[in-house]
Every structure is written in C-alpha cells, then in structure tokens.
Amino acid sequence: MATIQTLSQTEFDRRKSELATQDIIRKEVHIADFEITGNSIRIDGVNIPLSEHAFSRLLTLMRIPKAFAKRLKNQFGEDALRQMVSLFKNSGKRDVFTLIVDPKSRQISNILPAGYGAISNEGFTDFVERYIDQYNLDVTHMGGDSGGATINTISDAGIFQVPGMNNEVFQTGVSFTNSPERGLEVTPFLNRLVCTNGMTSRGFEEKYSLSSLSNDNIEKFNDHMIQLASTGFQPFGFIDQIKKANGTNASLAEVQSALSGIMSTDKHINYEYAQRYLPLERSLNQYKMLGVDTTSLTKKQLAAADSGMSVWEVINGVTNFASNQNKFRINDHKMGNLMVKAGNMLTKKNYDLDGRMDVNPFANGRSLLNTNESDRMMGNLN
C-alpha cells in the first residue's frame, strides 16, 4: 500500500493564514447602476474587468437566452452582444445582483443573484478545524483561490475493501469546500490506498450544504456528521457503483471530458503530457486504423464509441493526476475540484455505454428481411 501524506499542524496553520487573505470582495448593485464598456463593468466611475464566466452569468440573470446571445455574437461580433445587453439593462428593470471580485486578478469573476450569503475563508477554516479535532481527522489536501477553498480529510477508522477487487481498498474521510455560489459543502472523501488517489463527489447522497454558520444550521450539521461517522464516512452504494464502473467501458466522449478536466487545471499542461494519465490518442488511433475519422464524429457518435478503457480506469487516471502529479505547482483547491469531477463521473446515473450489447447479429449491414419480405411487411406488395 502507498503512504498517504498528511499535513502537519504547522503546515495547516500556514495554509489557514494564507486562505484568510484570499477572501473575495462582494458588492450588491442595481442593474441600472453600472455600464458595460468593452470587457469591463463601469461602477461609480471605475472600470472593473469582467471575466467570460461572469459575463455568461450576467446573461443568465438577465434572462437572455444563451443560444440567442451566441448567434448574435457569431453574426455581429462581441461588441454587438454587449450593446444588446446594455440596451436590455436600461429597459426599466430594477434587478439587484451581487458582483464577486477576485482581489488577486482585480476582475469580476462571478455575478450572483442578490442576497447570496457568504462564509469567509477564515470562518470556514475555523469551522472545519473543530470537526477535524472532534472526529480525529487527518488533512490530506488544503488550498484555495478566488473560487473558494477546499480541505480534504481522512479517518483512521474508515478503511474498507471492495469485495472481489483486491486493489480496491479505500480510506474514507470528509471533504469540506467553500465557494461563492454553493456556500459550505460537505461530502464523503475517499483515498484509494494502492496509489493514494483521492476522490469526492457532489453526487453522493451524503452531501450536505450550509449557506451560513447560524446556530440552527450548525446544529443540523452536527447531526449530519454524527450520521456520517456512524457509517465510517462510507457513501451509500459506493461499492456497487465501483463494480459497475469497473465493468463498463468509457466512451470516447467521457475520456475527452476527463482529459479536458486535467488540462484545465494549468495552462502549461498540454495534450501530449496529459496522455500519460489518459491515453486518449491511442484510443483514437485504433479508429483511424479502421479508416474512421474521429474528428468528424458527432457528440452522439463519440458518446457511442468505445474507448477501450473502463470507466473505473478513466476515473483513476484523473484522480492519479489530481493526487500524485508533482511537475506542476497546482494548488489543492483546483486539484480538489478535479477530484470532484472524477467522483461525479463515478456517480453518473448512466454511463454512455451502459446496457450496450457486444453481440449484434445484424452488424456489417445484415438485415433480417430480404427485399420481398420487407415490401410485403410494409404493404408495398398486394
């Protein structure tokens, strides 16, 4: 078994202080009180850069259909789209929005409806530390950025094996995250002991969310933690889901999505480097050898195309990168988000190739009916 590295108290305290300096800036504004100028929002005479994600969120909150906005942008350009938004916001509406400003990049990173509560990173880490001490948890990952903060923990009391799968031994724990959009979330966290791959998911039934640290919310959360601890922090149905993922091959579309997740963690990670964790190119070459141009396949065709790798192998390719790569200095919060992506893939209700029959007596153009039988059945013959 591989050794899981955990944070010392000194390192925890250092990262805690670091997270306290990364809190976002929030400002509630009426829609009529700002102007869109190029790639910025002008408020009180000051231009603040607007990220693409924040602009997309603005379209959603203003109830402008994204399909319409995309057509307008493609036909008439970015300026036309922003002019349309400016006209729309001056149409008499008095909506109130919450602007989320990243103090590091000094840009608006998100736009939320009015009244969204916020839990500071300092409040978040103080809150989490109480439960780390209470349940004797060890911290494996801890980090944050303008998108929030993540603390992953494991418990010495939570070790289990998937029956019939020798390498699938897990140590369980809890993942705590804090984000502007979702508040404080708690989900089961799992470390695969054979390689220390870590994973969590918002798809687990045991996920719990808090929008504020009120006494009532904390009391309910205490009950939730007691229930989680009583099962050794093991999510319901996890073993069956692993067996299903291990017995189902991933589609090309699923591998492409997983590979994109890896590459999105750092701009310096290129396609070739990511292949060591998910060899998508080898899969595509198998199709090219059969004369199939995979670049011309539709989304549905990619979702129906077998990658030759099981869903479980793909999930572990992602978690292997998120847990063990050390070439790129990627913070634990981004890696935590990637572990969530892997966990969400595991907990999908249906994999792309679920229920596929490997046996097809009518492959290669074979038909059950000859021409006369077909015509007779369809009423073409009297």
Side-chain angles (χ1 to χ4, degrees), residues 1-5 141 166-171 189-199 277 312-313 315-325 339:
M1 296 293 174
T3 302
I4 298 176
Q5 299 296 322
H141 305 85
N166 292 335
N167 283 334
E168 305 309 337
V169 182
F170 292 86
Q171 185 166 6
F189 178 75
L190 301 110
N191 250 106
R192 185 169 180 251
L193 294 185
V194 71
C195 54
T196 72
N197 293 355
M199 177 178 59
Y277 295 96
W312 186 234
E313 287 174 325
I315 289 168
N316 277 281
V318 175
T319 57
N320 182 21
F321 173 87
S323 303
N324 301 311
Q325 80 79 32
M339 292 177 191

PDB file of all heavy atoms in Angstrom, residues 1-5 141 166-171 189-199 277 312-313 315-325 339:
ATOM      1  N   MET A   1       0.832  -1.189   0.000  1.00  0.00           N
ATOM      2  CA  MET A   1       0.000   0.000   0.000  1.00  0.00           C
ATOM      3  C   MET A   1       0.877   1.254   0.000  1.00  0.00           C
ATOM      4  O   MET A   1       1.912   1.302   0.656  1.00  0.00           O
ATOM      5  CB  MET A   1      -0.911   0.034   1.227  1.00  0.00           C
ATOM      6  CG  MET A   1      -1.913  -1.103   1.272  1.00  0.00           C
ATOM      7  SD  MET A   1      -3.136  -0.985  -0.037  1.00  0.00           S
ATOM      8  CE  MET A   1      -4.006  -2.528   0.176  1.00  0.00           C
ATOM      9  N   ALA A   2       0.440   2.262  -0.743  1.00  0.00           N
ATOM     10  CA  ALA A   2       1.160   3.534  -0.768  1.00  0.00           C
ATOM     11  C   ALA A   2       0.893   4.300   0.529  1.00  0.00           C
ATOM     12  O   ALA A   2      -0.113   4.095   1.190  1.00  0.00           O
ATOM     13  CB  ALA A   2       0.709   4.360  -1.967  1.00  0.00           C
ATOM     14  N   THR A   3       1.817   5.201   0.880  1.00  0.00           N
ATOM     15  CA  THR A   3       1.681   6.001   2.095  1.00  0.00           C
ATOM     16  C   THR A   3       0.978   7.313   1.777  1.00  0.00           C
ATOM     17  O   THR A   3       1.377   8.034   0.868  1.00  0.00           O
ATOM     18  CB  THR A   3       3.065   6.294   2.704  1.00  0.00           C
ATOM     19  OG1 THR A   3       3.721   5.051   2.989  1.00  0.00           O
ATOM     20  CG2 THR A   3       2.923   7.111   3.981  1.00  0.00           C
ATOM     21  N   ILE A   4      -0.076   7.617   2.530  1.00  0.00           N
ATOM     22  CA  ILE A   4      -0.810   8.859   2.330  1.00  0.00           C
ATOM     23  C   ILE A   4      -0.133   9.972   3.115  1.00  0.00           C
ATOM     24  O   ILE A   4       0.091   9.852   4.318  1.00  0.00           O
ATOM     25  CB  ILE A   4      -2.274   8.706   2.778  1.00  0.00           C
ATOM     26  CG1 ILE A   4      -2.969   7.628   1.938  1.00  0.00           C
ATOM     27  CG2 ILE A   4      -3.015  10.026   2.652  1.00  0.00           C
ATOM     28  CD1 ILE A   4      -4.394   7.343   2.384  1.00  0.00           C
ATOM     29  N   GLN A   5       0.220  11.056   2.424  1.00  0.00           N
ATOM     30  CA  GLN A   5       0.855  12.190   3.074  1.00  0.00           C
ATOM     31  C   GLN A   5      -0.211  13.102   3.672  1.00  0.00           C
ATOM     32  O   GLN A   5      -1.183  13.453   3.008  1.00  0.00           O
ATOM     33  CB  GLN A   5       1.697  12.978   2.063  1.00  0.00           C
ATOM     34  CG  GLN A   5       2.823  12.181   1.423  1.00  0.00           C
ATOM     35  CD  GLN A   5       3.867  11.745   2.436  1.00  0.00           C
ATOM     36  OE1 GLN A   5       4.198  12.491   3.362  1.00  0.00           O
ATOM     37  NE2 GLN A   5       4.387  10.534   2.274  1.00  0.00           N
ATOM     38  N   HIS A 141      -5.322  17.405   1.828  1.00  0.00           N
ATOM     39  CA  HIS A 141      -5.262  18.495   0.855  1.00  0.00           C
ATOM     40  C   HIS A 141      -5.910  19.732   1.469  1.00  0.00           C
ATOM     41  O   HIS A 141      -6.930  19.627   2.140  1.00  0.00           O
ATOM     42  CB  HIS A 141      -5.999  18.145  -0.445  1.00  0.00           C
ATOM     43  CG  HIS A 141      -5.550  16.875  -1.092  1.00  0.00           C
ATOM     44  ND1 HIS A 141      -6.052  15.644  -0.720  1.00  0.00           N
ATOM     45  CD2 HIS A 141      -4.651  16.643  -2.070  1.00  0.00           C
ATOM     46  CE1 HIS A 141      -5.472  14.704  -1.444  1.00  0.00           C
ATOM     47  NE2 HIS A 141      -4.629  15.283  -2.274  1.00  0.00           N
ATOM     48  N   ASN A 166      -9.121  -6.957  -5.458  1.00  0.00           N
ATOM     49  CA  ASN A 166      -8.020  -6.935  -4.500  1.00  0.00           C
ATOM     50  C   ASN A 166      -7.383  -5.567  -4.318  1.00  0.00           C
ATOM     51  O   ASN A 166      -6.952  -5.212  -3.220  1.00  0.00           O
ATOM     52  CB  ASN A 166      -6.938  -7.947  -4.922  1.00  0.00           C
ATOM     53  CG  ASN A 166      -7.419  -9.379  -4.804  1.00  0.00           C
ATOM     54  OD1 ASN A 166      -8.314  -9.668  -4.014  1.00  0.00           O
ATOM     55  ND2 ASN A 166      -6.832 -10.281  -5.593  1.00  0.00           N
ATOM     56  N   ASN A 167      -7.268  -4.772  -5.410  1.00  0.00           N
ATOM     57  CA  ASN A 167      -6.593  -3.483  -5.324  1.00  0.00           C
ATOM     58  C   ASN A 167      -7.486  -2.357  -4.815  1.00  0.00           C
ATOM     59  O   ASN A 167      -7.005  -1.240  -4.608  1.00  0.00           O
ATOM     60  CB  ASN A 167      -6.025  -3.077  -6.695  1.00  0.00           C
ATOM     61  CG  ASN A 167      -4.760  -3.830  -7.024  1.00  0.00           C
ATOM     62  OD1 ASN A 167      -4.044  -4.276  -6.125  1.00  0.00           O
ATOM     63  ND2 ASN A 167      -4.472  -3.993  -8.303  1.00  0.00           N
ATOM     64  N   GLU A 168      -8.770  -2.645  -4.650  1.00  0.00           N
ATOM     65  CA  GLU A 168      -9.697  -1.568  -4.309  1.00  0.00           C
ATOM     66  C   GLU A 168      -9.949  -1.500  -2.805  1.00  0.00           C
ATOM     67  O   GLU A 168     -10.982  -1.909  -2.293  1.00  0.00           O
ATOM     68  CB  GLU A 168     -11.010  -1.729  -5.089  1.00  0.00           C
ATOM     69  CG  GLU A 168     -10.822  -1.828  -6.606  1.00  0.00           C
ATOM     70  CD  GLU A 168      -9.953  -0.713  -7.184  1.00  0.00           C
ATOM     71  OE1 GLU A 168      -9.841   0.365  -6.562  1.00  0.00           O
ATOM     72  OE2 GLU A 168      -9.364  -0.930  -8.251  1.00  0.00           O
ATOM     73  N   VAL A 169      -8.929  -0.970  -2.096  1.00  0.00           N
ATOM     74  CA  VAL A 169      -9.014  -0.725  -0.659  1.00  0.00           C
ATOM     75  C   VAL A 169      -9.007   0.788  -0.449  1.00  0.00           C
ATOM     76  O   VAL A 169      -8.165   1.496  -1.014  1.00  0.00           O
ATOM     77  CB  VAL A 169      -7.837  -1.367   0.091  1.00  0.00           C
ATOM     78  CG1 VAL A 169      -7.971  -1.133   1.601  1.00  0.00           C
ATOM     79  CG2 VAL A 169      -7.752  -2.858  -0.216  1.00  0.00           C
ATOM     80  N   PHE A 170      -9.945   1.288   0.344  1.00  0.00           N
ATOM     81  CA  PHE A 170     -10.117   2.730   0.484  1.00  0.00           C
ATOM     82  C   PHE A 170     -10.049   3.155   1.947  1.00  0.00           C
ATOM     83  O   PHE A 170     -10.445   2.414   2.846  1.00  0.00           O
ATOM     84  CB  PHE A 170     -11.478   3.164  -0.076  1.00  0.00           C
ATOM     85  CG  PHE A 170     -11.588   3.015  -1.571  1.00  0.00           C
ATOM     86  CD1 PHE A 170     -11.967   1.803  -2.125  1.00  0.00           C
ATOM     87  CD2 PHE A 170     -11.295   4.072  -2.416  1.00  0.00           C
ATOM     88  CE1 PHE A 170     -12.062   1.645  -3.495  1.00  0.00           C
ATOM     89  CE2 PHE A 170     -11.393   3.921  -3.782  1.00  0.00           C
ATOM     90  CZ  PHE A 170     -11.778   2.712  -4.331  1.00  0.00           C
ATOM     91  N   GLN A 171      -9.534   4.361   2.135  1.00  0.00           N
ATOM     92  CA  GLN A 171      -9.613   5.015   3.435  1.00  0.00           C
ATOM     93  C   GLN A 171     -10.556   6.204   3.273  1.00  0.00           C
ATOM     94  O   GLN A 171     -10.382   7.030   2.369  1.00  0.00           O
ATOM     95  CB  GLN A 171      -8.240   5.484   3.911  1.00  0.00           C
ATOM     96  CG  GLN A 171      -8.273   6.060   5.324  1.00  0.00           C
ATOM     97  CD  GLN A 171      -6.880   6.212   5.903  1.00  0.00           C
ATOM     98  OE1 GLN A 171      -5.878   6.001   5.242  1.00  0.00           O
ATOM     99  NE2 GLN A 171      -6.816   6.593   7.182  1.00  0.00           N
ATOM    100  N   PHE A 189     -15.132  11.764   1.438  1.00  0.00           N
ATOM    101  CA  PHE A 189     -13.873  11.787   0.685  1.00  0.00           C
ATOM    102  C   PHE A 189     -13.259  10.401   0.774  1.00  0.00           C
ATOM    103  O   PHE A 189     -13.298   9.761   1.830  1.00  0.00           O
ATOM    104  CB  PHE A 189     -12.912  12.823   1.262  1.00  0.00           C
ATOM    105  CG  PHE A 189     -11.581  12.874   0.568  1.00  0.00           C
ATOM    106  CD1 PHE A 189     -11.460  13.458  -0.680  1.00  0.00           C
ATOM    107  CD2 PHE A 189     -10.453  12.316   1.158  1.00  0.00           C
ATOM    108  CE1 PHE A 189     -10.230  13.503  -1.330  1.00  0.00           C
ATOM    109  CE2 PHE A 189      -9.222  12.351   0.516  1.00  0.00           C
ATOM    110  CZ  PHE A 189      -9.114  12.951  -0.734  1.00  0.00           C
ATOM    111  N   LEU A 190     -12.693   9.921  -0.337  1.00  0.00           N
ATOM    112  CA  LEU A 190     -12.130   8.575  -0.358  1.00  0.00           C
ATOM    113  C   LEU A 190     -10.737   8.588  -0.961  1.00  0.00           C
ATOM    114  O   LEU A 190     -10.505   9.197  -2.001  1.00  0.00           O
ATOM    115  CB  LEU A 190     -13.032   7.636  -1.175  1.00  0.00           C
ATOM    116  CG  LEU A 190     -14.469   7.536  -0.648  1.00  0.00           C
ATOM    117  CD1 LEU A 190     -15.407   8.210  -1.623  1.00  0.00           C
ATOM    118  CD2 LEU A 190     -14.866   6.103  -0.417  1.00  0.00           C
ATOM    119  N   ASN A 191      -9.822   7.904  -0.285  1.00  0.00           N
ATOM    120  CA  ASN A 191      -8.465   7.712  -0.803  1.00  0.00           C
ATOM    121  C   ASN A 191      -8.283   6.240  -1.155  1.00  0.00           C
ATOM    122  O   ASN A 191      -8.520   5.354  -0.320  1.00  0.00           O
ATOM    123  CB  ASN A 191      -7.412   8.109   0.224  1.00  0.00           C
ATOM    124  CG  ASN A 191      -6.668   9.360  -0.163  1.00  0.00           C
ATOM    125  OD1 ASN A 191      -6.874  10.419   0.403  1.00  0.00           O
ATOM    126  ND2 ASN A 191      -5.801   9.255  -1.165  1.00  0.00           N
ATOM    127  N   ARG A 192      -7.866   5.978  -2.400  1.00  0.00           N
ATOM    128  CA  ARG A 192      -7.584   4.615  -2.851  1.00  0.00           C
ATOM    129  C   ARG A 192      -6.167   4.263  -2.387  1.00  0.00           C
ATOM    130  O   ARG A 192      -5.187   4.856  -2.840  1.00  0.00           O
ATOM    131  CB  ARG A 192      -7.711   4.557  -4.382  1.00  0.00           C
ATOM    132  CG  ARG A 192      -7.566   3.177  -5.005  1.00  0.00           C
ATOM    133  CD  ARG A 192      -7.984   3.248  -6.479  1.00  0.00           C
ATOM    134  NE  ARG A 192      -7.864   1.965  -7.144  1.00  0.00           N
ATOM    135  CZ  ARG A 192      -6.936   1.685  -8.051  1.00  0.00           C
ATOM    136  NH1 ARG A 192      -6.026   2.582  -8.385  1.00  0.00           N
ATOM    137  NH2 ARG A 192      -6.908   0.504  -8.613  1.00  0.00           N
ATOM    138  N   LEU A 193      -6.046   3.313  -1.492  1.00  0.00           N
ATOM    139  CA  LEU A 193      -4.779   3.097  -0.789  1.00  0.00           C
ATOM    140  C   LEU A 193      -3.678   2.531  -1.660  1.00  0.00           C
ATOM    141  O   LEU A 193      -2.493   2.725  -1.376  1.00  0.00           O
ATOM    142  CB  LEU A 193      -5.012   2.183   0.427  1.00  0.00           C
ATOM    143  CG  LEU A 193      -5.890   2.773   1.535  1.00  0.00           C
ATOM    144  CD1 LEU A 193      -5.942   1.846   2.724  1.00  0.00           C
ATOM    145  CD2 LEU A 193      -5.382   4.150   1.959  1.00  0.00           C
ATOM    146  N   VAL A 194      -4.028   1.825  -2.751  1.00  0.00           N
ATOM    147  CA  VAL A 194      -2.978   1.230  -3.574  1.00  0.00           C
ATOM    148  C   VAL A 194      -2.128   2.303  -4.252  1.00  0.00           C
ATOM    149  O   VAL A 194      -0.978   2.071  -4.593  1.00  0.00           O
ATOM    150  CB  VAL A 194      -3.587   0.266  -4.625  1.00  0.00           C
ATOM    151  CG1 VAL A 194      -4.336   1.018  -5.717  1.00  0.00           C
ATOM    152  CG2 VAL A 194      -2.497  -0.618  -5.231  1.00  0.00           C
ATOM    153  N   CYS A 195      -2.696   3.507  -4.433  1.00  0.00           N
ATOM    154  CA  CYS A 195      -1.941   4.554  -5.130  1.00  0.00           C
ATOM    155  C   CYS A 195      -2.205   5.939  -4.562  1.00  0.00           C
ATOM    156  O   CYS A 195      -1.776   6.932  -5.138  1.00  0.00           O
ATOM    157  CB  CYS A 195      -2.276   4.552  -6.619  1.00  0.00           C
ATOM    158  SG  CYS A 195      -4.042   4.676  -6.918  1.00  0.00           S
ATOM    159  N   THR A 196      -2.923   6.045  -3.454  1.00  0.00           N
ATOM    160  CA  THR A 196      -3.278   7.297  -2.767  1.00  0.00           C
ATOM    161  C   THR A 196      -4.109   8.235  -3.626  1.00  0.00           C
ATOM    162  O   THR A 196      -4.099   9.445  -3.412  1.00  0.00           O
ATOM    163  CB  THR A 196      -2.021   8.051  -2.229  1.00  0.00           C
ATOM    164  OG1 THR A 196      -1.291   8.618  -3.308  1.00  0.00           O
ATOM    165  CG2 THR A 196      -1.150   7.132  -1.410  1.00  0.00           C
ATOM    166  N   ASN A 197      -4.840   7.725  -4.623  1.00  0.00           N
ATOM    167  CA  ASN A 197      -5.727   8.584  -5.404  1.00  0.00           C
ATOM    168  C   ASN A 197      -6.894   9.034  -4.543  1.00  0.00           C
ATOM    169  O   ASN A 197      -7.558   8.219  -3.914  1.00  0.00           O
ATOM    170  CB  ASN A 197      -6.286   7.832  -6.623  1.00  0.00           C
ATOM    171  CG  ASN A 197      -5.215   7.496  -7.638  1.00  0.00           C
ATOM    172  OD1 ASN A 197      -4.061   7.892  -7.487  1.00  0.00           O
ATOM    173  ND2 ASN A 197      -5.587   6.776  -8.678  1.00  0.00           N
ATOM    174  N   GLY A 198      -7.179  10.334  -4.544  1.00  0.00           N
ATOM    175  CA  GLY A 198      -8.279  10.871  -3.759  1.00  0.00           C
ATOM    176  C   GLY A 198      -9.465  11.228  -4.634  1.00  0.00           C
ATOM    177  O   GLY A 198      -9.317  11.594  -5.796  1.00  0.00           O
ATOM    178  N   MET A 199     -10.691  11.129  -4.068  1.00  0.00           N
ATOM    179  CA  MET A 199     -11.895  11.386  -4.847  1.00  0.00           C
ATOM    180  C   MET A 199     -13.048  11.784  -3.934  1.00  0.00           C
ATOM    181  O   MET A 199     -13.178  11.287  -2.813  1.00  0.00           O
ATOM    182  CB  MET A 199     -12.283  10.133  -5.647  1.00  0.00           C
ATOM    183  CG  MET A 199     -13.575  10.260  -6.444  1.00  0.00           C
ATOM    184  SD  MET A 199     -13.886   8.753  -7.392  1.00  0.00           S
ATOM    185  CE  MET A 199     -13.956   7.528  -6.088  1.00  0.00           C
ATOM    186  N   TYR A 277      -1.688  10.095 -18.348  1.00  0.00           N
ATOM    187  CA  TYR A 277      -2.746   9.771 -17.388  1.00  0.00           C
ATOM    188  C   TYR A 277      -3.993   9.217 -18.076  1.00  0.00           C
ATOM    189  O   TYR A 277      -4.683   8.373 -17.499  1.00  0.00           O
ATOM    190  CB  TYR A 277      -3.108  11.019 -16.571  1.00  0.00           C
ATOM    191  CG  TYR A 277      -1.970  11.487 -15.709  1.00  0.00           C
ATOM    192  CD1 TYR A 277      -1.104  12.496 -16.137  1.00  0.00           C
ATOM    193  CD2 TYR A 277      -1.723  10.906 -14.469  1.00  0.00           C
ATOM    194  CE1 TYR A 277      -0.039  12.914 -15.351  1.00  0.00           C
ATOM    195  CE2 TYR A 277      -0.664  11.314 -13.673  1.00  0.00           C
ATOM    196  CZ  TYR A 277       0.176  12.312 -14.121  1.00  0.00           C
ATOM    197  OH  TYR A 277       1.240  12.713 -13.352  1.00  0.00           O
ATOM    198  N   TRP A 312     -13.858   2.982 -14.661  1.00  0.00           N
ATOM    199  CA  TRP A 312     -13.053   2.994 -13.439  1.00  0.00           C
ATOM    200  C   TRP A 312     -11.598   3.340 -13.727  1.00  0.00           C
ATOM    201  O   TRP A 312     -10.956   4.059 -12.955  1.00  0.00           O
ATOM    202  CB  TRP A 312     -13.177   1.650 -12.739  1.00  0.00           C
ATOM    203  CG  TRP A 312     -12.525   1.567 -11.391  1.00  0.00           C
ATOM    204  CD1 TRP A 312     -11.611   0.645 -10.974  1.00  0.00           C
ATOM    205  CD2 TRP A 312     -12.758   2.428 -10.269  1.00  0.00           C
ATOM    206  NE1 TRP A 312     -11.257   0.876  -9.669  1.00  0.00           N
ATOM    207  CE2 TRP A 312     -11.947   1.961  -9.209  1.00  0.00           C
ATOM    208  CE3 TRP A 312     -13.569   3.543 -10.069  1.00  0.00           C
ATOM    209  CZ2 TRP A 312     -11.920   2.582  -7.964  1.00  0.00           C
ATOM    210  CZ3 TRP A 312     -13.540   4.165  -8.811  1.00  0.00           C
ATOM    211  CH2 TRP A 312     -12.716   3.673  -7.790  1.00  0.00           C
ATOM    212  N   GLU A 313     -11.055   2.843 -14.851  1.00  0.00           N
ATOM    213  CA  GLU A 313      -9.677   3.193 -15.235  1.00  0.00           C
ATOM    214  C   GLU A 313      -9.568   4.686 -15.530  1.00  0.00           C
ATOM    215  O   GLU A 313      -8.595   5.342 -15.121  1.00  0.00           O
ATOM    216  CB  GLU A 313      -9.259   2.379 -16.462  1.00  0.00           C
ATOM    217  CG  GLU A 313      -8.975   0.912 -16.170  1.00  0.00           C
ATOM    218  CD  GLU A 313      -8.708   0.095 -17.424  1.00  0.00           C
ATOM    219  OE1 GLU A 313      -9.331   0.374 -18.477  1.00  0.00           O
ATOM    220  OE2 GLU A 313      -7.870  -0.823 -17.356  1.00  0.00           O
ATOM    221  N   ILE A 315     -11.517   7.130 -14.397  1.00  0.00           N
ATOM    222  CA  ILE A 315     -11.660   7.859 -13.130  1.00  0.00           C
ATOM    223  C   ILE A 315     -10.336   7.880 -12.377  1.00  0.00           C
ATOM    224  O   ILE A 315      -9.908   8.920 -11.857  1.00  0.00           O
ATOM    225  CB  ILE A 315     -12.765   7.219 -12.272  1.00  0.00           C
ATOM    226  CG1 ILE A 315     -14.139   7.502 -12.883  1.00  0.00           C
ATOM    227  CG2 ILE A 315     -12.709   7.730 -10.829  1.00  0.00           C
ATOM    228  CD1 ILE A 315     -15.255   6.684 -12.274  1.00  0.00           C
ATOM    229  N   ASN A 316      -9.657   6.748 -12.332  1.00  0.00           N
ATOM    230  CA  ASN A 316      -8.392   6.681 -11.600  1.00  0.00           C
ATOM    231  C   ASN A 316      -7.260   7.384 -12.329  1.00  0.00           C
ATOM    232  O   ASN A 316      -6.289   7.827 -11.696  1.00  0.00           O
ATOM    233  CB  ASN A 316      -8.037   5.221 -11.302  1.00  0.00           C
ATOM    234  CG  ASN A 316      -8.747   4.712 -10.060  1.00  0.00           C
ATOM    235  OD1 ASN A 316      -8.327   4.995  -8.947  1.00  0.00           O
ATOM    236  ND2 ASN A 316      -9.841   3.991 -10.255  1.00  0.00           N
ATOM    237  N   GLY A 317      -7.347   7.506 -13.657  1.00  0.00           N
ATOM    238  CA  GLY A 317      -6.386   8.329 -14.373  1.00  0.00           C
ATOM    239  C   GLY A 317      -6.483   9.775 -13.925  1.00  0.00           C
ATOM    240  O   GLY A 317      -5.470  10.458 -13.700  1.00  0.00           O
ATOM    241  N   VAL A 318      -7.721  10.248 -13.758  1.00  0.00           N
ATOM    242  CA  VAL A 318      -7.944  11.626 -13.298  1.00  0.00           C
ATOM    243  C   VAL A 318      -7.489  11.801 -11.858  1.00  0.00           C
ATOM    244  O   VAL A 318      -6.776  12.759 -11.526  1.00  0.00           O
ATOM    245  CB  VAL A 318      -9.440  11.993 -13.439  1.00  0.00           C
ATOM    246  CG1 VAL A 318      -9.702  13.379 -12.850  1.00  0.00           C
ATOM    247  CG2 VAL A 318      -9.870  11.965 -14.898  1.00  0.00           C
ATOM    248  N   THR A 319      -7.879  10.876 -10.980  1.00  0.00           N
ATOM    249  CA  THR A 319      -7.517  11.017  -9.568  1.00  0.00           C
ATOM    250  C   THR A 319      -6.026  10.799  -9.336  1.00  0.00           C
ATOM    251  O   THR A 319      -5.448  11.363  -8.399  1.00  0.00           O
ATOM    252  CB  THR A 319      -8.333  10.056  -8.679  1.00  0.00           C
ATOM    253  OG1 THR A 319      -8.133   8.707  -9.133  1.00  0.00           O
ATOM    254  CG2 THR A 319      -9.813  10.384  -8.751  1.00  0.00           C
ATOM    255  N   ASN A 320      -5.379   9.995 -10.174  1.00  0.00           N
ATOM    256  CA  ASN A 320      -3.939   9.820 -10.087  1.00  0.00           C
ATOM    257  C   ASN A 320      -3.232  11.152 -10.349  1.00  0.00           C
ATOM    258  O   ASN A 320      -2.330  11.562  -9.610  1.00  0.00           O
ATOM    259  CB  ASN A 320      -3.474   8.763 -11.088  1.00  0.00           C
ATOM    260  CG  ASN A 320      -1.981   8.498 -11.012  1.00  0.00           C
ATOM    261  OD1 ASN A 320      -1.325   8.775 -10.014  1.00  0.00           O
ATOM    262  ND2 ASN A 320      -1.427   7.974 -12.096  1.00  0.00           N
ATOM    263  N   PHE A 321      -3.685  11.851 -11.392  1.00  0.00           N
ATOM    264  CA  PHE A 321      -3.117  13.175 -11.683  1.00  0.00           C
ATOM    265  C   PHE A 321      -3.398  14.138 -10.536  1.00  0.00           C
ATOM    266  O   PHE A 321      -2.504  14.843 -10.054  1.00  0.00           O
ATOM    267  CB  PHE A 321      -3.711  13.716 -12.988  1.00  0.00           C
ATOM    268  CG  PHE A 321      -3.308  15.133 -13.280  1.00  0.00           C
ATOM    269  CD1 PHE A 321      -2.124  15.405 -13.957  1.00  0.00           C
ATOM    270  CD2 PHE A 321      -4.103  16.196 -12.875  1.00  0.00           C
ATOM    271  CE1 PHE A 321      -1.737  16.721 -14.211  1.00  0.00           C
ATOM    272  CE2 PHE A 321      -3.735  17.511 -13.122  1.00  0.00           C
ATOM    273  CZ  PHE A 321      -2.550  17.773 -13.798  1.00  0.00           C
ATOM    274  N   ALA A 322      -4.656  14.175 -10.080  1.00  0.00           N
ATOM    275  CA  ALA A 322      -5.052  15.140  -9.052  1.00  0.00           C
ATOM    276  C   ALA A 322      -4.338  14.897  -7.730  1.00  0.00           C
ATOM    277  O   ALA A 322      -4.090  15.840  -6.970  1.00  0.00           O
ATOM    278  CB  ALA A 322      -6.569  15.082  -8.845  1.00  0.00           C
ATOM    279  N   SER A 323      -3.992  13.643  -7.448  1.00  0.00           N
ATOM    280  CA  SER A 323      -3.419  13.305  -6.138  1.00  0.00           C
ATOM    281  C   SER A 323      -1.902  13.218  -6.138  1.00  0.00           C
ATOM    282  O   SER A 323      -1.262  13.473  -5.098  1.00  0.00           O
ATOM    283  CB  SER A 323      -3.987  11.958  -5.658  1.00  0.00           C
ATOM    284  OG  SER A 323      -5.386  11.983  -5.601  1.00  0.00           O
ATOM    285  N   ASN A 324      -1.306  12.863  -7.282  1.00  0.00           N
ATOM    286  CA  ASN A 324       0.102  12.457  -7.248  1.00  0.00           C
ATOM    287  C   ASN A 324       1.047  13.203  -8.177  1.00  0.00           C
ATOM    288  O   ASN A 324       2.262  13.089  -8.008  1.00  0.00           O
ATOM    289  CB  ASN A 324       0.204  10.952  -7.552  1.00  0.00           C
ATOM    290  CG  ASN A 324      -0.573  10.115  -6.554  1.00  0.00           C
ATOM    291  OD1 ASN A 324      -0.446  10.304  -5.352  1.00  0.00           O
ATOM    292  ND2 ASN A 324      -1.403   9.208  -7.044  1.00  0.00           N
ATOM    293  N   GLN A 325       0.544  13.921  -9.173  1.00  0.00           N
ATOM    294  CA  GLN A 325       1.489  14.598 -10.078  1.00  0.00           C
ATOM    295  C   GLN A 325       2.196  15.728  -9.320  1.00  0.00           C
ATOM    296  O   GLN A 325       1.598  16.411  -8.495  1.00  0.00           O
ATOM    297  CB  GLN A 325       0.768  15.124 -11.320  1.00  0.00           C
ATOM    298  CG  GLN A 325       0.003  16.426 -11.168  1.00  0.00           C
ATOM    299  CD  GLN A 325       0.870  17.666 -11.212  1.00  0.00           C
ATOM    300  OE1 GLN A 325       1.892  17.691 -11.908  1.00  0.00           O
ATOM    301  NE2 GLN A 325       0.482  18.686 -10.484  1.00  0.00           N
ATOM    302  N   MET A 339     -10.836  16.255  -8.336  1.00  0.00           N
ATOM    303  CA  MET A 339     -11.295  15.047  -7.639  1.00  0.00           C
ATOM    304  C   MET A 339     -12.826  14.977  -7.635  1.00  0.00           C
ATOM    305  O   MET A 339     -13.409  13.897  -7.726  1.00  0.00           O
ATOM    306  CB  MET A 339     -10.764  15.037  -6.202  1.00  0.00           C
ATOM    307  CG  MET A 339      -9.256  14.870  -6.087  1.00  0.00           C
ATOM    308  SD  MET A 339      -8.721  14.953  -4.357  1.00  0.00           S
ATOM    309  CE  MET A 339      -6.940  15.058  -4.560  1.00  0.00           C
TER     310      MET A 339
END
